[in-house]
Amino acid sequence: MATQTEKSLLTLSNAPHVRSDESISKIMWMVVAALLPASFYSVYIFGLKALMLLVTSVFAAIAAEAAYQLLMKKEVRVSDGSAVITGLLIAMNVPPGAPVWMVTIGSFFAIIFVKQLFGGLGFNVFNPALAARAFMIASWPVHMTTGWHKFNEGNVLIKDLSNFSGLPQHLFDTLTQATPLTALKEGPKSLAEFKVGADQFYNFIFSSDKIKSLFIGNVGGVIGETSAALLLIGAIYLLVKKVITWHIPATYIGTVGILAFIYYLITGVPSVQYAVLFHLVSGGLFLGAFFMATDMVTSPITYKGMMIFGAGCGILTFVIRIWGGYPEGVSYSILLMNAATPLIDRFIKPAVFGKPDKKK
Amino acid sequence: MEIKVLFTILISTIFINNYVLSQMLGLCPFLGVSKKTDSAIGMGLAVIFVMTLASFFTFIIYKYVLVPYEIVYLRTVSFILIIASLVQLVEMIIEKVSPALYQSLGIFLPLITTNCAVLGVAVLNINSGFVTADFGLIKSVIQGFGAGVGFTLALLLMSGIRERLELADIPKNLQGLPVTFLTAGLLALAFLGFSGMKI
């Protein structure tokens, strides 16, 4: 038996040896498909302006890519779908009230400056969509931090979350106006204003109702991040299809969870388990961990490297969320780890095939 | 309490107020020596060494010579003198210890003298009010060390990216320095995530 396997290993056939129908465009279109449920849902809750942003952004990205490749006399390869993903993710990363021109410029920036000038698909150092988000926050901070969707009752959380904690109406409105993470960040400031105890505030922020609506997506936020459940469905599809592996999302989300648990245990919040869940399902963590951190071009090659990458993203995200100047740190943490990816790949090398094991 | 302040200074100089990526100091060696990771590490260590020692000596000279004799206006001149002699020292050490590193650093080693980040640290130590503060010396040395570590971090990230970009299909007239500037810009954009951080 042993000699047989040896023989089959040594026999050469004509290349390619392993055939697969996997291709860049197939993978890219699968990612687009995985993003669609969350996109459709955002159109459902935020209305037509979300649809307009999504469509404009995708078309701007496609146009920028095609125009660049035409002008540089390269092969036009917009049909591989990578520009569509970038455009889709950019729109999913802006508030629903963002102006259309902004996502257009953002898409141009992502495609031209972050991707094509570095050599196009496969060579970009940073995730184009996230770099565009950072660029838009730096350039138009007002448009990127206001323009949250106003639900009918003036609160982001409709019906299923009532003011059960007995908070003053003004405080309730302030806390529920913007995104959940903004409320967490700005909340303590409002506490002093309305003379509300910290316990009451945390009871409200970390309640099971709040977690429920966060999971379903009944909250404010950027277009694509609201519904953790639908993002999870897309992510499971990608995991099953083996487009992404579990390493980055699991270490990323796990690190955030562990850090949140330790932090809130030390600060002594009444319901630690809800606080941890709050950090996991709020903001763009699922969107970032499953769809942006796993970008094959800008993340490490080896599994070990991926786990370092994920843990680094998790630590940075949590640090920025708690101590940083921004309510949400997902985009910056992934960008920073993108920058560290070449170094991770340099120092974590896969075992060379055929090299004897040192331990023996 | 004092330990916490020192920790804050360290984190702040490494990440939040990174000398290269958020204060835009020391760009010349940042762009010049970031081609190879190995030389980037060597340069980074040299800069950490120079910055830490420079913070120490400039602080002492400022507090015990310049201020008592009321010749504070000589600050820049005297600081540059101190930094230059320190760099000379580092240069001699590296030449003896690692000739290969000495070769690969080339002109940029003596240029640490004019590295504005080093002078920047020395001046900022004074401007931060450390001269009159308690434990001012330790604080300024920590700030110098942190600035060096931050510089090394930026240099390392950049060199990793640049080594990867060597294989990339970059448009002809962007190859080399131009695309490095673009990368530096995007890197600075990523470091914006640390801005406004309160520890």
Side-chain angles (χ1 to χ4, degrees):
Chain A
M1 191 65 198
T3 49
Q4 216 171 9
T5 24
E6 212 166 280
K7 207 175 259 177
S8 66
L9 264 178
L10 292 172
T11 341
L12 273 181
S13 62
N14 290 329
H17 304 288
V18 181
R19 284 168 201 275
S20 153
D21 60 343
E22 239 175 43
S23 64
I24 292 177
S25 55
K26 198 175 168 199
I27 288 177
M28 293 294 174
W29 287 112
M30 274 194 307
V31 178
V32 172
L35 283 169
L36 281 183
S39 314
F40 282 133
Y41 180 73
S42 71
V43 175
Y44 167 68
I45 51 170
F46 297 134
L48 280 179
K49 43 188 183 171
L51 182 67
M52 206 155 80
L53 285 171
L54 286 164
V55 171
T56 320
S57 177
V58 169
F59 272 101
I62 294 174
E65 179 131 315
Y68 179 88
Q69 284 171 341
L70 272 179
L71 286 175
M72 296 300 286
K73 300 198 173 63
K74 284 183 168 184
E75 195 189 339
V76 178
R77 289 193 292 188
V78 270
S79 60
D80 67 12
S82 62
V84 177
I85 295 182
T86 304
L88 204 56
L89 284 176
I90 289 172
M92 291 175 100
N93 265 303
V94 297
V100 173
W101 55 262
M102 191 176 78
V103 291
T104 314
I105 298 176
S107 290
F108 269 101
F109 179 84
I111 295 293
I112 304 290
F113 285 95
V114 189
K115 192 168 133 200
Q116 290 295 352
L117 289 187
F118 282 87
L121 182 65
F123 295 112
N124 49 308
V125 178
F126 296 97
N127 184 317
L130 287 175
R133 180 181 151 87
F135 161 74
M136 288 190 285
I137 290 182
S139 312
W140 304 288
V142 177
H143 288 307
M144 286 299 286
T145 49
T146 53
W148 307 116
H149 185 67
K150 285 203 171 50
F151 287 85
N152 289 338
E153 300 184 342
N155 290 324
V156 163
L157 310 150
I158 42 173
K159 283 154 207 158
D160 40 333
L161 190 79
S162 54
N163 190 358
F164 70 90
S165 311
L167 297 168
Q169 190 58 39
H170 278 295
L171 179 60
F172 185 71
D173 286 348
T174 323
L175 288 181
T176 52
Q177 218 169 37
T179 69
L181 281 170
T182 318
L184 182 66
K185 190 138 244 179
E186 302 296 325
K189 234 184 272 170
S190 323
L191 286 186
E193 237 171 85
F194 292 101
K195 297 187 184 77
V196 179
D199 275 7
Q200 209 176 350
F201 168 68
Y202 283 121
N203 272 337
F204 167 72
I205 282 278
F206 301 141
S207 60
S208 61
D209 278 5
K210 184 105 182 175
I211 307 287
K212 227 182 280 164
S213 62
L214 274 167
F215 189 69
I216 299 166
N218 226 344
V219 291
V222 301
I223 289 178
E225 75 181 5
T226 46
S227 173
L230 289 172
L231 287 169
L232 206 57
I233 291 173
I236 289 170
Y237 169 71
L238 289 184
L239 279 169
V240 169
K241 287 282 179 185
K242 292 192 177 141
V243 174
I244 58 174
T245 61
W246 58 269
H247 300 82
I248 292 178
T251 43
Y252 190 171
I253 296 171
T255 312
V256 172
I258 292 167
L259 288 176
F261 180 74
I262 296 171
Y263 177 78
Y264 286 107
L265 208 60
I266 291 172
T267 39
V269 163
S271 44
V272 179
Q273 71 274 26
Y274 287 137
V276 173
L277 273 177
F278 176 86
H279 270 278
L280 296 191
V281 294
S282 66
L285 184 61
F286 277 31
L287 183 64
F290 287 112
F291 295 97
M292 298 196 276
T294 52
D295 178 5
M296 291 170 184
V297 182
T298 55
S299 62
I301 303 165
T302 56
Y303 289 147
K304 219 194 261 175
M306 284 178 183
M307 280 150 99
I308 296 174
F309 181 92
C313 285
I315 294 170
L316 287 169
T317 300
F318 192 73
V319 165
I320 294 177
R321 273 187 186 178
I322 300 295
W323 293 286
Y326 299 101
E328 174 63 306
V330 168
S331 51
Y332 287 111
S333 69
I334 299 176
L335 276 178
L336 287 165
M337 289 314 285
N338 282 166
T341 296
L343 284 182
I344 296 177
D345 273 341
R346 189 190 155 91
F347 290 113
I348 310 265
K349 282 179 185 156
V352 180
F353 184 70
K355 208 175 166 187
D357 201 342
K358 267 182 194 166
K359 279 172 200 161
K360 275 177 190 169
Chain B
M1 189 61 208
E2 215 46 60
I3 297 288
K4 203 192 162 203
V5 172
L6 296 182
F7 180 73
T8 310
I9 291 175
L10 199 62
I11 294 294
S12 154
T13 44
I14 295 176
F15 296 109
I16 307 166
N17 297 315
N18 188 294
Y19 273 68
V20 180
L21 294 173
S22 71
Q23 304 196 30
M24 305 291 157
L25 288 168
L27 285 181
C28 162
F30 176 61
L31 298 170
V33 202
S34 54
K35 251 188 185 153
K36 290 263 172 296
T37 311
D38 298 324
S39 52
I41 293 174
M43 180 70 173
L45 291 178
V47 169
I48 292 178
F49 184 77
V50 171
M51 277 184 171
T52 315
L53 281 187
S55 310
F56 181 78
F57 285 115
T58 51
F59 183 87
I60 290 187
I61 295 283
Y62 189 84
K63 189 164 181 182
Y64 299 107
V65 178
L66 298 188
V67 173
Y69 292 100
E70 292 178 0
I71 44 171
V72 181
Y73 54 86
L74 285 179
R75 185 174 74 173
T76 313
V77 179
S78 56
F79 282 10
I80 286 182
L81 204 64
I82 295 165
I83 293 166
S85 41
L86 279 173
V87 170
Q88 206 60 48
L89 182 71
V90 171
E91 205 181 334
M92 286 191 288
I93 293 174
I94 291 185
E95 196 180 359
K96 276 286 169 206
V97 173
S98 166
L101 180 63
Y102 183 75
Q103 284 294 324
S104 67
L105 289 180
I107 184 69
F108 290 100
L109 195 53
L111 275 182
I112 300 181
T113 317
T114 52
N115 183 345
C116 46
V118 181
L119 184 65
V121 171
V123 171
L124 273 178
N125 282 338
I126 307 302
N127 288 353
S128 314
F130 288 160
V131 177
T132 47
D134 300 337
F135 301 104
L137 184 61
I138 300 175
K139 279 181 190 163
S140 58
V141 168
I142 291 285
Q143 176 146 303
F145 177 74
V149 174
F151 180 84
T152 311
L153 176 73
L155 204 60
L156 266 181
L157 290 177
M158 193 61 168
S159 66
I161 295 172
R162 276 182 83 171
E163 277 186 355
R164 202 181 123 163
L165 284 181
E166 267 175 22
L167 302 170
D169 175 27
I170 298 165
K172 210 173 177 184
N173 30 15
L174 270 179
Q175 280 167 12
L177 216 46
V179 85
T180 312
F181 272 107
L182 260 180
T183 316
L186 291 177
L187 208 51
L189 211 53
F191 262 71
L192 267 185
F194 290 117
S195 67
M197 194 171 275
K198 286 185 200 82
I199 310 169

